[in-house]
Amino acid sequence: MTKLTAIIPTGNEIHNIDAVIESVKFADEILVVDSFSTDGTYEKALTLATKVIRREYQYSASQKNWAIPQAKNEWILLVDADERVTPELQAEILDILKQPEPDVVAYWIGRMNHFMGERVHYSGWRNDSVIRLFKRDYCIYQDKHVHAEIKTNGNVGRLKNKLYHNTYITFNKYIEKMNRYASWQAKDYDKKTGKLTPYHFVLKPFWGFFKHYIIQGGFRDGVVGLTIGYIQGYVIFMRYVKLWLLRKGRS
């Protein structure tokens, strides 16, 4: 059996740490990468994980790229604290590790997304997939502040089973998270965005809502879909407000 390291990035995840580590207990090494949590996450992880390392958080891709080379094993399963490996996904991963495909260096894994206590079937989240099972020396995250995906040096497969994903704690906490994302996105978009116009502040936010709620079927998810559509538009608007502030030196 090829050995596996599970990497779990954390930052004040005391409400998640027990369950996420329990879901990856089949891994040969559990490596928690903590960004100096103040809620007891670090202390709890010390009692549950194989190894816990700490680093000041800059942004997600930077944190993960720092952690990946420190994994003991060649194959890595990276799981965020708000995700869970289901028993079906675990069985599929173990089958792959018994006899890895020689030309495949990574695998896409779909996610079953939940929001405000409900499973999201549409709203642009239906086909959500991430590369999370990969070979350590063949993959690296893009240097982006938000929504960075792994770049691979080799072929990428796809797993049949999905991660359970629930990013929602409370509505206020989620809005705080989206505001952080908007701030990070402003930095990513600065180099590729020209002069800011009403197109950025009005049309793009409206299109974000329309795409998620109408085109991608968010209306079929009820109040949850409406909320997701609204938040998508809000984040786009805040991205350009924060970019405007950044360029004015007022961020």
Side-chain angles (χ1 to χ4, degrees):
M1 174 77 74
T2 301
K3 291 192 174 182
L4 176 72
T5 292
I7 295 180
I8 305 171
T10 60
N12 290 334
E13 296 286 354
I14 193 63
H15 55 290
N16 277 321
I17 192 65
D18 285 273
V20 67
I21 289 180
E22 182 65 30
S23 80
V24 298
K25 275 203 167 176
F26 62 95
D28 301 280
E29 178 188 36
I30 300 175
L31 175 60
V32 171
V33 187
D34 186 67
S35 54
F36 291 94
S37 295
T38 57
D39 65 347
T41 299
Y42 173 72
E43 292 76 12
K44 186 67 173 181
L46 287 173
T47 69
L48 299 173
T50 310
K51 183 180 179 181
V52 183
I53 54 180
R54 304 180 90 178
R55 178 179 185 252
E56 196 70 43
Y57 188 86
Q58 297 176 358
Y59 51 95
S60 178
S62 171
Q63 196 80 341
K64 292 171 181 176
N65 283 336
W66 176 77
I68 288 169
Q70 302 190 55
K72 183 170 67 174
N73 299 306
E74 182 183 26
W75 276 95
I76 291 173
L77 175 65
L78 198 147
V79 183
D80 284 340
D82 58 7
E83 297 170 338
R84 307 288 181 265
V85 177
T86 64
E88 297 81 8
L89 179 57
Q90 173 184 328
E92 186 176 5
I93 291 170
L94 290 175
D95 281 343
I96 287 172
L97 294 177
K98 287 177 184 176
Q99 193 172 358
E101 299 176 80
D103 61 337
V104 175
V105 300
Y107 290 89
W108 288 98
I109 303 178
R111 295 197 292 187
M112 297 180 289
N113 290 298
H114 294 72
F115 187 66
M116 301 199 309
E118 303 288 338
R119 172 76 185 273
V120 181
H121 295 281
Y122 301 96
S123 304
W125 293 4
R126 185 175 187 176
N127 298 314
D128 179 29
S129 295
V130 286
I131 295 176
R132 290 296 177 77
L133 179 64
F134 55 90
K135 295 179 80 170
R136 181 192 57 210
D137 301 328
Y138 290 81
C139 301
I140 189 170
Y141 275 87
Q142 300 167 321
D143 188 27
K144 291 174 57 180
H145 288 81
V146 181
H147 301 313
E149 192 48 81
I150 285 180
K151 297 185 293 184
T152 64
N153 183 19
N155 294 328
V156 182
R158 179 174 291 273
L159 301 188
K160 295 177 182 177
N161 292 288
K162 297 183 177 183
L163 286 162
Y164 173 93
H165 180 220
N166 183 11
T167 190
Y168 180 83
I169 306 172
T170 66
F171 192 75
N172 286 341
K173 289 288 185 183
Y174 192 78
I175 291 297
E176 288 176 15
K177 179 179 179 180
M178 292 299 101
N179 274 316
R180 288 197 302 272
Y181 276 21
S183 297
W184 294 335
Q185 283 182 333
K187 297 176 182 178
D188 287 336
Y189 275 72
D190 187 23
K191 294 180 181 179
K192 61 183 180 181
T193 302
K195 181 181 178 182
L196 295 172
T197 68
Y199 167 74
H200 299 94
F201 294 108
V202 180
L203 293 181
K204 284 183 74 72
F206 174 77
W207 171 248
F209 170 82
F210 185 82
K211 180 178 72 173
H212 283 269
Y213 190 63
I214 302 299
I215 295 176
Q216 296 177 325
F219 63 91
R220 302 175 71 175
D221 284 320
V223 173
V224 169
L226 178 63
T227 305
I228 290 171
Y230 169 81
I231 291 173
Q232 292 300 322
Y234 168 79
V235 170
I236 294 170
F237 174 74
M238 290 306 299
R239 174 204 302 162
Y240 292 110
V241 169
K242 294 189 178 195
L243 176 53
W244 181 83
L245 288 169
L246 179 68
R247 289 178 175 179
K248 294 285 186 179
R250 303 171 191 167
S251 57

PDB file of all heavy atoms in Angstrom, residues 32-66:
ATOM      1  N   VAL A  32      -1.204  18.740  10.559  1.00  0.00           N
ATOM      2  CA  VAL A  32      -2.032  19.939  10.741  1.00  0.00           C
ATOM      3  C   VAL A  32      -1.140  21.168  10.614  1.00  0.00           C
ATOM      4  O   VAL A  32      -0.065  21.238  11.228  1.00  0.00           O
ATOM      5  CB  VAL A  32      -2.739  19.929  12.111  1.00  0.00           C
ATOM      6  CG1 VAL A  32      -3.422  21.272  12.385  1.00  0.00           C
ATOM      7  CG2 VAL A  32      -3.767  18.802  12.163  1.00  0.00           C
ATOM      8  N   VAL A  33      -1.581  22.120   9.799  1.00  0.00           N
ATOM      9  CA  VAL A  33      -0.836  23.359   9.558  1.00  0.00           C
ATOM     10  C   VAL A  33      -1.642  24.499  10.167  1.00  0.00           C
ATOM     11  O   VAL A  33      -2.616  24.966   9.582  1.00  0.00           O
ATOM     12  CB  VAL A  33      -0.618  23.597   8.051  1.00  0.00           C
ATOM     13  CG1 VAL A  33       0.307  24.779   7.838  1.00  0.00           C
ATOM     14  CG2 VAL A  33      -0.073  22.350   7.387  1.00  0.00           C
ATOM     15  N   ASP A  34      -1.264  24.931  11.344  1.00  0.00           N
ATOM     16  CA  ASP A  34      -2.068  25.895  12.086  1.00  0.00           C
ATOM     17  C   ASP A  34      -1.498  27.306  11.964  1.00  0.00           C
ATOM     18  O   ASP A  34      -0.278  27.504  12.035  1.00  0.00           O
ATOM     19  CB  ASP A  34      -2.120  25.496  13.561  1.00  0.00           C
ATOM     20  CG  ASP A  34      -3.054  26.383  14.350  1.00  0.00           C
ATOM     21  OD1 ASP A  34      -4.267  26.332  14.103  1.00  0.00           O
ATOM     22  OD2 ASP A  34      -2.556  27.164  15.195  1.00  0.00           O
ATOM     23  N   SER A  35      -2.384  28.275  11.795  1.00  0.00           N
ATOM     24  CA  SER A  35      -1.964  29.673  11.656  1.00  0.00           C
ATOM     25  C   SER A  35      -2.170  30.418  12.975  1.00  0.00           C
ATOM     26  O   SER A  35      -2.879  31.412  13.036  1.00  0.00           O
ATOM     27  CB  SER A  35      -2.715  30.348  10.509  1.00  0.00           C
ATOM     28  OG  SER A  35      -4.109  30.217  10.670  1.00  0.00           O
ATOM     29  N   PHE A  36      -1.561  29.882  14.026  1.00  0.00           N
ATOM     30  CA  PHE A  36      -1.574  30.485  15.355  1.00  0.00           C
ATOM     31  C   PHE A  36      -3.001  30.729  15.859  1.00  0.00           C
ATOM     32  O   PHE A  36      -3.379  31.859  16.208  1.00  0.00           O
ATOM     33  CB  PHE A  36      -0.741  31.765  15.381  1.00  0.00           C
ATOM     34  CG  PHE A  36       0.735  31.506  15.221  1.00  0.00           C
ATOM     35  CD1 PHE A  36       1.326  31.556  13.968  1.00  0.00           C
ATOM     36  CD2 PHE A  36       1.511  31.165  16.313  1.00  0.00           C
ATOM     37  CE1 PHE A  36       2.685  31.285  13.803  1.00  0.00           C
ATOM     38  CE2 PHE A  36       2.863  30.897  16.162  1.00  0.00           C
ATOM     39  CZ  PHE A  36       3.453  30.950  14.909  1.00  0.00           C
ATOM     40  N   SER A  37      -3.781  29.654  15.900  1.00  0.00           N
ATOM     41  CA  SER A  37      -5.148  29.717  16.422  1.00  0.00           C
ATOM     42  C   SER A  37      -5.135  30.156  17.883  1.00  0.00           C
ATOM     43  O   SER A  37      -4.207  29.853  18.634  1.00  0.00           O
ATOM     44  CB  SER A  37      -5.819  28.343  16.308  1.00  0.00           C
ATOM     45  OG  SER A  37      -5.992  27.962  14.973  1.00  0.00           O
ATOM     46  N   THR A  38      -6.203  30.835  18.259  1.00  0.00           N
ATOM     47  CA  THR A  38      -6.327  31.319  19.642  1.00  0.00           C
ATOM     48  C   THR A  38      -7.517  30.699  20.371  1.00  0.00           C
ATOM     49  O   THR A  38      -7.830  31.102  21.489  1.00  0.00           O
ATOM     50  CB  THR A  38      -6.484  32.854  19.652  1.00  0.00           C
ATOM     51  OG1 THR A  38      -7.628  33.225  18.861  1.00  0.00           O
ATOM     52  CG2 THR A  38      -5.243  33.534  19.092  1.00  0.00           C
ATOM     53  N   ASP A  39      -8.178  29.738  19.731  1.00  0.00           N
ATOM     54  CA  ASP A  39      -9.393  29.162  20.316  1.00  0.00           C
ATOM     55  C   ASP A  39      -9.209  27.734  20.821  1.00  0.00           C
ATOM     56  O   ASP A  39     -10.187  27.056  21.137  1.00  0.00           O
ATOM     57  CB  ASP A  39     -10.539  29.198  19.290  1.00  0.00           C
ATOM     58  CG  ASP A  39     -10.263  28.299  18.082  1.00  0.00           C
ATOM     59  OD1 ASP A  39      -9.103  27.851  17.921  1.00  0.00           O
ATOM     60  OD2 ASP A  39     -11.207  28.053  17.302  1.00  0.00           O
ATOM     61  N   GLY A  40      -7.963  27.259  20.892  1.00  0.00           N
ATOM     62  CA  GLY A  40      -7.712  25.901  21.367  1.00  0.00           C
ATOM     63  C   GLY A  40      -7.493  24.892  20.257  1.00  0.00           C
ATOM     64  O   GLY A  40      -7.240  23.711  20.536  1.00  0.00           O
ATOM     65  N   THR A  41      -7.589  25.325  18.984  1.00  0.00           N
ATOM     66  CA  THR A  41      -7.391  24.401  17.859  1.00  0.00           C
ATOM     67  C   THR A  41      -6.008  23.767  17.905  1.00  0.00           C
ATOM     68  O   THR A  41      -5.864  22.550  17.738  1.00  0.00           O
ATOM     69  CB  THR A  41      -7.577  25.140  16.521  1.00  0.00           C
ATOM     70  OG1 THR A  41      -8.901  25.661  16.438  1.00  0.00           O
ATOM     71  CG2 THR A  41      -7.341  24.208  15.346  1.00  0.00           C
ATOM     72  N   TYR A  42      -5.000  24.579  18.109  1.00  0.00           N
ATOM     73  CA  TYR A  42      -3.620  24.074  18.123  1.00  0.00           C
ATOM     74  C   TYR A  42      -3.426  23.024  19.214  1.00  0.00           C
ATOM     75  O   TYR A  42      -2.890  21.933  18.966  1.00  0.00           O
ATOM     76  CB  TYR A  42      -2.660  25.243  18.319  1.00  0.00           C
ATOM     77  CG  TYR A  42      -1.221  24.827  18.526  1.00  0.00           C
ATOM     78  CD1 TYR A  42      -0.462  24.316  17.480  1.00  0.00           C
ATOM     79  CD2 TYR A  42      -0.617  24.958  19.786  1.00  0.00           C
ATOM     80  CE1 TYR A  42       0.861  23.938  17.673  1.00  0.00           C
ATOM     81  CE2 TYR A  42       0.707  24.588  19.982  1.00  0.00           C
ATOM     82  CZ  TYR A  42       1.433  24.072  18.921  1.00  0.00           C
ATOM     83  OH  TYR A  42       2.745  23.702  19.121  1.00  0.00           O
ATOM     84  N   GLU A  43      -3.882  23.330  20.420  1.00  0.00           N
ATOM     85  CA  GLU A  43      -3.708  22.408  21.544  1.00  0.00           C
ATOM     86  C   GLU A  43      -4.459  21.103  21.302  1.00  0.00           C
ATOM     87  O   GLU A  43      -3.945  20.017  21.599  1.00  0.00           O
ATOM     88  CB  GLU A  43      -4.175  23.072  22.837  1.00  0.00           C
ATOM     89  CG  GLU A  43      -3.324  24.233  23.307  1.00  0.00           C
ATOM     90  CD  GLU A  43      -3.530  25.533  22.523  1.00  0.00           C
ATOM     91  OE1 GLU A  43      -4.507  25.608  21.733  1.00  0.00           O
ATOM     92  OE2 GLU A  43      -2.730  26.463  22.693  1.00  0.00           O
ATOM     93  N   LYS A  44      -5.653  21.193  20.738  1.00  0.00           N
ATOM     94  CA  LYS A  44      -6.433  19.986  20.450  1.00  0.00           C
ATOM     95  C   LYS A  44      -5.768  19.162  19.357  1.00  0.00           C
ATOM     96  O   LYS A  44      -5.698  17.921  19.448  1.00  0.00           O
ATOM     97  CB  LYS A  44      -7.851  20.378  20.010  1.00  0.00           C
ATOM     98  CG  LYS A  44      -8.801  19.210  19.826  1.00  0.00           C
ATOM     99  CD  LYS A  44      -9.107  18.540  21.156  1.00  0.00           C
ATOM    100  CE  LYS A  44     -10.174  17.486  21.021  1.00  0.00           C
ATOM    101  NZ  LYS A  44     -10.506  16.835  22.292  1.00  0.00           N
ATOM    102  N   ALA A  45      -5.267  19.828  18.328  1.00  0.00           N
ATOM    103  CA  ALA A  45      -4.618  19.119  17.224  1.00  0.00           C
ATOM    104  C   ALA A  45      -3.394  18.347  17.708  1.00  0.00           C
ATOM    105  O   ALA A  45      -3.100  17.254  17.214  1.00  0.00           O
ATOM    106  CB  ALA A  45      -4.224  20.105  16.128  1.00  0.00           C
ATOM    107  N   LEU A  46      -2.690  18.890  18.683  1.00  0.00           N
ATOM    108  CA  LEU A  46      -1.508  18.210  19.218  1.00  0.00           C
ATOM    109  C   LEU A  46      -1.855  16.831  19.774  1.00  0.00           C
ATOM    110  O   LEU A  46      -1.027  15.919  19.756  1.00  0.00           O
ATOM    111  CB  LEU A  46      -0.855  19.058  20.317  1.00  0.00           C
ATOM    112  CG  LEU A  46      -0.090  20.305  19.863  1.00  0.00           C
ATOM    113  CD1 LEU A  46       0.343  21.124  21.070  1.00  0.00           C
ATOM    114  CD2 LEU A  46       1.124  19.940  19.014  1.00  0.00           C
ATOM    115  N   THR A  47      -3.083  16.676  20.265  1.00  0.00           N
ATOM    116  CA  THR A  47      -3.493  15.401  20.857  1.00  0.00           C
ATOM    117  C   THR A  47      -4.048  14.425  19.825  1.00  0.00           C
ATOM    118  O   THR A  47      -4.225  13.254  20.135  1.00  0.00           O
ATOM    119  CB  THR A  47      -4.568  15.622  21.941  1.00  0.00           C
ATOM    120  OG1 THR A  47      -5.802  16.052  21.323  1.00  0.00           O
ATOM    121  CG2 THR A  47      -4.129  16.678  22.940  1.00  0.00           C
ATOM    122  N   LEU A  48      -4.315  14.898  18.606  1.00  0.00           N
ATOM    123  CA  LEU A  48      -5.000  14.067  17.612  1.00  0.00           C
ATOM    124  C   LEU A  48      -4.168  13.779  16.362  1.00  0.00           C
ATOM    125  O   LEU A  48      -4.323  12.721  15.754  1.00  0.00           O
ATOM    126  CB  LEU A  48      -6.304  14.749  17.181  1.00  0.00           C
ATOM    127  CG  LEU A  48      -7.350  15.001  18.267  1.00  0.00           C
ATOM    128  CD1 LEU A  48      -8.497  15.844  17.706  1.00  0.00           C
ATOM    129  CD2 LEU A  48      -7.893  13.685  18.810  1.00  0.00           C
ATOM    130  N   ALA A  49      -3.333  14.720  15.970  1.00  0.00           N
ATOM    131  CA  ALA A  49      -2.604  14.591  14.707  1.00  0.00           C
ATOM    132  C   ALA A  49      -1.234  13.947  14.916  1.00  0.00           C
ATOM    133  O   ALA A  49      -0.715  13.894  16.037  1.00  0.00           O
ATOM    134  CB  ALA A  49      -2.434  15.965  14.063  1.00  0.00           C
ATOM    135  N   THR A  50      -0.647  13.479  13.829  1.00  0.00           N
ATOM    136  CA  THR A  50       0.707  12.952  13.867  1.00  0.00           C
ATOM    137  C   THR A  50       1.710  14.066  14.120  1.00  0.00           C
ATOM    138  O   THR A  50       2.668  13.914  14.880  1.00  0.00           O
ATOM    139  CB  THR A  50       1.051  12.268  12.531  1.00  0.00           C
ATOM    140  OG1 THR A  50       0.012  11.360  12.172  1.00  0.00           O
ATOM    141  CG2 THR A  50       2.363  11.528  12.616  1.00  0.00           C
ATOM    142  N   LYS A  51       1.479  15.211  13.467  1.00  0.00           N
ATOM    143  CA  LYS A  51       2.407  16.332  13.550  1.00  0.00           C
ATOM    144  C   LYS A  51       1.625  17.629  13.372  1.00  0.00           C
ATOM    145  O   LYS A  51       0.696  17.699  12.566  1.00  0.00           O
ATOM    146  CB  LYS A  51       3.473  16.193  12.456  1.00  0.00           C
ATOM    147  CG  LYS A  51       4.559  17.256  12.476  1.00  0.00           C
ATOM    148  CD  LYS A  51       5.567  16.992  11.335  1.00  0.00           C
ATOM    149  CE  LYS A  51       6.660  18.043  11.294  1.00  0.00           C
ATOM    150  NZ  LYS A  51       7.621  17.800  10.185  1.00  0.00           N
ATOM    151  N   VAL A  52       2.005  18.652  14.125  1.00  0.00           N
ATOM    152  CA  VAL A  52       1.377  19.971  13.999  1.00  0.00           C
ATOM    153  C   VAL A  52       2.481  20.996  13.805  1.00  0.00           C
ATOM    154  O   VAL A  52       3.438  21.057  14.588  1.00  0.00           O
ATOM    155  CB  VAL A  52       0.540  20.331  15.239  1.00  0.00           C
ATOM    156  CG1 VAL A  52      -0.155  21.679  15.028  1.00  0.00           C
ATOM    157  CG2 VAL A  52      -0.484  19.241  15.546  1.00  0.00           C
ATOM    158  N   ILE A  53       2.364  21.792  12.740  1.00  0.00           N
ATOM    159  CA  ILE A  53       3.324  22.863  12.484  1.00  0.00           C
ATOM    160  C   ILE A  53       2.564  24.187  12.442  1.00  0.00           C
ATOM    161  O   ILE A  53       1.357  24.212  12.189  1.00  0.00           O
ATOM    162  CB  ILE A  53       4.103  22.630  11.172  1.00  0.00           C
ATOM    163  CG1 ILE A  53       3.139  22.424   9.989  1.00  0.00           C
ATOM    164  CG2 ILE A  53       5.033  21.434  11.320  1.00  0.00           C
ATOM    165  CD1 ILE A  53       3.864  22.184   8.662  1.00  0.00           C
ATOM    166  N   ARG A  54       3.278  25.281  12.696  1.00  0.00           N
ATOM    167  CA  ARG A  54       2.601  26.587  12.772  1.00  0.00           C
ATOM    168  C   ARG A  54       3.314  27.600  11.883  1.00  0.00           C
ATOM    169  O   ARG A  54       4.547  27.604  11.766  1.00  0.00           O
ATOM    170  CB  ARG A  54       2.576  27.103  14.212  1.00  0.00           C
ATOM    171  CG  ARG A  54       1.938  26.145  15.188  1.00  0.00           C
ATOM    172  CD  ARG A  54       1.937  26.703  16.603  1.00  0.00           C
ATOM    173  NE  ARG A  54       0.729  27.465  16.874  1.00  0.00           N
ATOM    174  CZ  ARG A  54       0.446  28.034  18.044  1.00  0.00           C
ATOM    175  NH1 ARG A  54       1.319  27.959  19.027  1.00  0.00           N
ATOM    176  NH2 ARG A  54      -0.679  28.692  18.218  1.00  0.00           N
ATOM    177  N   ARG A  55       2.516  28.460  11.283  1.00  0.00           N
ATOM    178  CA  ARG A  55       3.044  29.538  10.442  1.00  0.00           C
ATOM    179  C   ARG A  55       2.021  30.666  10.395  1.00  0.00           C
ATOM    180  O   ARG A  55       0.810  30.405  10.310  1.00  0.00           O
ATOM    181  CB  ARG A  55       3.310  29.028   9.028  1.00  0.00           C
ATOM    182  CG  ARG A  55       3.827  30.084   8.045  1.00  0.00           C
ATOM    183  CD  ARG A  55       4.060  29.437   6.692  1.00  0.00           C
ATOM    184  NE  ARG A  55       4.655  30.323   5.716  1.00  0.00           N
ATOM    185  CZ  ARG A  55       4.012  30.828   4.666  1.00  0.00           C
ATOM    186  NH1 ARG A  55       2.721  30.530   4.473  1.00  0.00           N
ATOM    187  NH2 ARG A  55       4.629  31.610   3.803  1.00  0.00           N
ATOM    188  N   GLU A  56       2.469  31.891  10.433  1.00  0.00           N
ATOM    189  CA  GLU A  56       1.570  33.041  10.316  1.00  0.00           C
ATOM    190  C   GLU A  56       0.851  32.983   8.976  1.00  0.00           C
ATOM    191  O   GLU A  56       1.482  32.769   7.939  1.00  0.00           O
ATOM    192  CB  GLU A  56       2.361  34.341  10.431  1.00  0.00           C
ATOM    193  CG  GLU A  56       1.507  35.565  10.712  1.00  0.00           C
ATOM    194  CD  GLU A  56       0.915  35.570  12.103  1.00  0.00           C
ATOM    195  OE1 GLU A  56       1.622  35.239  13.072  1.00  0.00           O
ATOM    196  OE2 GLU A  56      -0.282  35.900  12.212  1.00  0.00           O
ATOM    197  N   TYR A  57      -0.470  33.181   8.986  1.00  0.00           N
ATOM    198  CA  TYR A  57      -1.272  33.051   7.763  1.00  0.00           C
ATOM    199  C   TYR A  57      -1.115  34.288   6.886  1.00  0.00           C
ATOM    200  O   TYR A  57      -1.237  35.422   7.359  1.00  0.00           O
ATOM    201  CB  TYR A  57      -2.743  32.862   8.133  1.00  0.00           C
ATOM    202  CG  TYR A  57      -3.636  32.520   6.975  1.00  0.00           C
ATOM    203  CD1 TYR A  57      -3.798  31.213   6.564  1.00  0.00           C
ATOM    204  CD2 TYR A  57      -4.330  33.515   6.294  1.00  0.00           C
ATOM    205  CE1 TYR A  57      -4.622  30.881   5.509  1.00  0.00           C
ATOM    206  CE2 TYR A  57      -5.157  33.199   5.234  1.00  0.00           C
ATOM    207  CZ  TYR A  57      -5.309  31.875   4.843  1.00  0.00           C
ATOM    208  OH  TYR A  57      -6.129  31.563   3.790  1.00  0.00           O
ATOM    209  N   GLN A  58      -0.826  34.061   5.616  1.00  0.00           N
ATOM    210  CA  GLN A  58      -0.794  35.135   4.628  1.00  0.00           C
ATOM    211  C   GLN A  58      -2.010  35.005   3.711  1.00  0.00           C
ATOM    212  O   GLN A  58      -2.868  35.872   3.675  1.00  0.00           O
ATOM    213  CB  GLN A  58       0.504  35.069   3.826  1.00  0.00           C
ATOM    214  CG  GLN A  58       1.748  35.277   4.686  1.00  0.00           C
ATOM    215  CD  GLN A  58       3.047  35.109   3.912  1.00  0.00           C
ATOM    216  OE1 GLN A  58       3.052  34.795   2.717  1.00  0.00           O
ATOM    217  NE2 GLN A  58       4.160  35.295   4.589  1.00  0.00           N
ATOM    218  N   TYR A  59      -2.058  33.892   2.970  1.00  0.00           N
ATOM    219  CA  TYR A  59      -3.230  33.529   2.191  1.00  0.00           C
ATOM    220  C   TYR A  59      -3.138  32.038   1.912  1.00  0.00           C
ATOM    221  O   TYR A  59      -2.095  31.400   2.134  1.00  0.00           O
ATOM    222  CB  TYR A  59      -3.348  34.354   0.899  1.00  0.00           C
ATOM    223  CG  TYR A  59      -2.114  34.394   0.034  1.00  0.00           C
ATOM    224  CD1 TYR A  59      -1.953  33.509  -1.032  1.00  0.00           C
ATOM    225  CD2 TYR A  59      -1.106  35.324   0.275  1.00  0.00           C
ATOM    226  CE1 TYR A  59      -0.828  33.552  -1.838  1.00  0.00           C
ATOM    227  CE2 TYR A  59       0.027  35.366  -0.522  1.00  0.00           C
ATOM    228  CZ  TYR A  59       0.160  34.473  -1.581  1.00  0.00           C
ATOM    229  OH  TYR A  59       1.275  34.508  -2.372  1.00  0.00           O
ATOM    230  N   SER A  60      -4.248  31.461   1.461  1.00  0.00           N
ATOM    231  CA  SER A  60      -4.387  30.008   1.423  1.00  0.00           C
ATOM    232  C   SER A  60      -3.298  29.319   0.607  1.00  0.00           C
ATOM    233  O   SER A  60      -2.662  28.366   1.066  1.00  0.00           O
ATOM    234  CB  SER A  60      -5.762  29.634   0.865  1.00  0.00           C
ATOM    235  OG  SER A  60      -5.909  28.238   0.776  1.00  0.00           O
ATOM    236  N   ALA A  61      -3.052  29.782  -0.610  1.00  0.00           N
ATOM    237  CA  ALA A  61      -2.080  29.119  -1.480  1.00  0.00           C
ATOM    238  C   ALA A  61      -0.680  29.163  -0.875  1.00  0.00           C
ATOM    239  O   ALA A  61       0.069  28.182  -0.932  1.00  0.00           O
ATOM    240  CB  ALA A  61      -2.081  29.759  -2.858  1.00  0.00           C
ATOM    241  N   SER A  62      -0.322  30.290  -0.283  1.00  0.00           N
ATOM    242  CA  SER A  62       0.986  30.422   0.350  1.00  0.00           C
ATOM    243  C   SER A  62       1.140  29.435   1.503  1.00  0.00           C
ATOM    244  O   SER A  62       2.178  28.776   1.642  1.00  0.00           O
ATOM    245  CB  SER A  62       1.165  31.859   0.861  1.00  0.00           C
ATOM    246  OG  SER A  62       2.330  31.972   1.646  1.00  0.00           O
ATOM    247  N   GLN A  63       0.094  29.313   2.312  1.00  0.00           N
ATOM    248  CA  GLN A  63       0.145  28.406   3.463  1.00  0.00           C
ATOM    249  C   GLN A  63       0.285  26.954   3.007  1.00  0.00           C
ATOM    250  O   GLN A  63       1.076  26.180   3.562  1.00  0.00           O
ATOM    251  CB  GLN A  63      -1.138  28.585   4.296  1.00  0.00           C
ATOM    252  CG  GLN A  63      -1.058  28.019   5.701  1.00  0.00           C
ATOM    253  CD  GLN A  63      -0.333  28.937   6.661  1.00  0.00           C
ATOM    254  OE1 GLN A  63       0.417  29.825   6.257  1.00  0.00           O
ATOM    255  NE2 GLN A  63      -0.530  28.723   7.948  1.00  0.00           N
ATOM    256  N   LYS A  64      -0.480  26.576   1.999  1.00  0.00           N
ATOM    257  CA  LYS A  64      -0.456  25.194   1.525  1.00  0.00           C
ATOM    258  C   LYS A  64       0.860  24.863   0.820  1.00  0.00           C
ATOM    259  O   LYS A  64       1.407  23.762   1.001  1.00  0.00           O
ATOM    260  CB  LYS A  64      -1.653  24.946   0.603  1.00  0.00           C
ATOM    261  CG  LYS A  64      -2.982  24.977   1.342  1.00  0.00           C
ATOM    262  CD  LYS A  64      -4.183  24.940   0.411  1.00  0.00           C
ATOM    263  CE  LYS A  64      -5.486  24.988   1.190  1.00  0.00           C
ATOM    264  NZ  LYS A  64      -6.681  25.044   0.308  1.00  0.00           N
ATOM    265  N   ASN A  65       1.375  25.787   0.027  1.00  0.00           N
ATOM    266  CA  ASN A  65       2.649  25.541  -0.654  1.00  0.00           C
ATOM    267  C   ASN A  65       3.802  25.414   0.333  1.00  0.00           C
ATOM    268  O   ASN A  65       4.783  24.711   0.066  1.00  0.00           O
ATOM    269  CB  ASN A  65       2.939  26.650  -1.670  1.00  0.00           C
ATOM    270  CG  ASN A  65       2.129  26.502  -2.939  1.00  0.00           C
ATOM    271  OD1 ASN A  65       1.683  25.413  -3.290  1.00  0.00           O
ATOM    272  ND2 ASN A  65       1.924  27.605  -3.643  1.00  0.00           N
ATOM    273  N   TRP A  66       3.701  26.090   1.470  1.00  0.00           N
ATOM    274  CA  TRP A  66       4.710  25.954   2.514  1.00  0.00           C
ATOM    275  C   TRP A  66       4.619  24.586   3.192  1.00  0.00           C
ATOM    276  O   TRP A  66       5.631  23.980   3.550  1.00  0.00           O
ATOM    277  CB  TRP A  66       4.524  27.059   3.543  1.00  0.00           C
ATOM    278  CG  TRP A  66       5.441  26.965   4.725  1.00  0.00           C
ATOM    279  CD1 TRP A  66       6.772  27.303   4.770  1.00  0.00           C
ATOM    280  CD2 TRP A  66       5.116  26.504   6.038  1.00  0.00           C
ATOM    281  NE1 TRP A  66       7.278  27.083   6.029  1.00  0.00           N
ATOM    282  CE2 TRP A  66       6.289  26.593   6.829  1.00  0.00           C
ATOM    283  CE3 TRP A  66       3.941  26.031   6.625  1.00  0.00           C
ATOM    284  CZ2 TRP A  66       6.315  26.228   8.175  1.00  0.00           C
ATOM    285  CZ3 TRP A  66       3.966  25.664   7.961  1.00  0.00           C
ATOM    286  CH2 TRP A  66       5.142  25.754   8.723  1.00  0.00           C
TER     287      TRP A  66
END
